[in-house]
Amino acid sequence: MKYKKAIIFSTIMIFVVAAAVALGWLFRARYFIVNDLNGLTGETAESGLYSFVCETLEKKYKGKWLFSFGEKEIENDLSANPYVELIEVKKTAPDKISVTFSERKERFLIVIEDKGYVTDSGYNLLRDVAAADFGCLLYTSPSPRDSTSSR
């Protein structure tokens, strides 16, 4: 056999290339598991956060090789929306990304001069508010001191 080494070498190379192509196809992100701890999913999601998370994952990560990006990169992309509080981001081989999140609820309005800032209970800034919109955000309830001081 004159070409025995060449045949063995080409056979091995074809096998290596085929294995690389198969692994590349196998380890592409195809499935996303999104868990909203508020219980809102799909079309029932009033806030649109579930849709935001799903669309971000679809646009940026679907079809990408699972090892070409990290969990921290996914967290940074989803944290672009201040209302998303990430609980867990997990990549599972061969082709799944699992995201668990909850919605930050507006709790406080902090007013400094003519500007207002809406925060959640952890004082994470959610949005800015113009002075003209303060009235629709403020809710005052009588405090115990107010009711006793009028006597």
Side-chain angles (χ1 to χ4, degrees), residues 42-86:
E43 294 181 12
T44 62
E46 298 167 5
S47 66
L49 284 183
Y50 184 83
S51 299
F52 168 77
V53 171
C54 290
E55 287 173 13
T56 302
L57 292 173
E58 288 277 334
K59 286 179 186 174
K60 293 194 175 190
Y61 300 105
K62 187 165 187 166
K64 277 191 170 181
W65 197 49
L66 203 59
F67 302 110
S68 67
F69 55 88
E71 294 171 353
K72 197 70 173 166
E73 185 178 341
I74 298 170
E75 289 177 14
N76 291 339
D77 287 338
L78 295 177
S79 295
N81 186 329
Y83 286 89
V84 174
E85 180 178 6
L86 289 172

Side-chain angles (χ1 to χ4, degrees), residues 13 38 53 82 101 137:
M13 289 308 295
N38 297 326
V53 171
F101 75 97
L137 291 175

